[in-house]
Amino acid sequence: MMIAPLLVDVGTALEESTGIVQYALVFLFAAIPVVEILVVVPVAIGLGLNPVMTAVVAFIGNVGSVYALILSYRRLLAWWQSRTGSDEPSDRYARARRLWDQYGLPGVSLAGPVMTGVHIAALVALLAGSRGRLVATWMTAGIAVWTVVLTVTSVAGFSALGIV
């Protein structure tokens, strides 16, 4: 999947809206697998949205969608298996599973946002047998770390370029 069109779509949607609608879009984009905080935080900050507000709203959106996934993963798994007719893992799942085998729940939770996406990382942890509450705790920590890192580096990078 190419990231450039995704960045343009997120950027265009944020540019074409104003005020609280922009932050509502940040929330929604952060909740969408693939877009998540990795895309929406730098784009929003680059467009001049308040970095702290962007970080908080994106964090809440990303964590909220992961919590929804954790609460409903058994039903989602049954649906997926009935839809696909197989248990064949995707490449992203296989990569996340390798992370799991090597680093366990803390490693997947901290690397997940940039390696596989938080939703796949959470699913791997759940499928590997981790309790939902532990997955939620570790995923929250991983998302928090990456939200701060992305916010700080975006502000520093765009400031160095004279954009914000």
Side-chain angles (χ1 to χ4, degrees):
M1 173 176 197
M2 292 187 50
I3 294 291
L6 204 54
L7 294 173
V8 171
D9 291 345
V10 170
T12 301
L14 288 174
E15 271 185 322
E16 291 176 354
S17 58
T18 58
I20 197 154
V21 174
Q22 286 179 308
Y23 292 103
L25 288 172
V26 167
F27 176 88
L28 290 173
F29 285 135
I32 298 172
V34 180
V35 178
E36 302 185 29
I37 58 172
L38 198 59
V39 172
V40 75
V41 168
V43 170
I45 291 171
L47 291 172
L49 273 69
N50 178 290
V52 173
M53 186 71 159
T54 296
V56 169
V57 170
F59 172 81
I60 293 169
N62 204 215
V63 166
S65 66
V66 169
Y67 286 4
L69 176 71
I70 290 168
L71 291 172
S72 61
Y73 90 95
R74 288 194 196 278
R75 279 187 248 151
L76 287 171
L77 180 61
W79 170 81
W80 180 256
Q81 288 172 340
S82 70
R83 181 175 174 250
T84 62
S86 84
D87 292 336
E88 210 46 46
S90 69
D91 289 341
R92 290 179 77 185
Y93 174 84
R95 189 174 11 181
R97 184 62 201 211
R98 283 192 302 276
L99 279 172
W100 175 265
D101 290 342
Q102 194 166 11
Y103 301 107
L105 181 56
V108 167
S109 298
L110 294 173
V114 293
M115 296 295 291
T116 63
V118 294
H119 300 89
I120 296 291
L123 275 175
V124 166
L126 292 166
L127 292 170
S130 294
R131 290 188 339 241
R133 186 169 279 165
L134 267 178
V135 173
T137 300
W138 276 103
M139 292 307 297
T140 301
I143 294 167
V145 166
W146 281 104
T147 301
V148 170
V149 167
L150 288 165
T151 302
V152 169
T153 56
S154 295
V155 168
F158 289 126
S159 292
L161 294 172
I163 295 173
V164 294

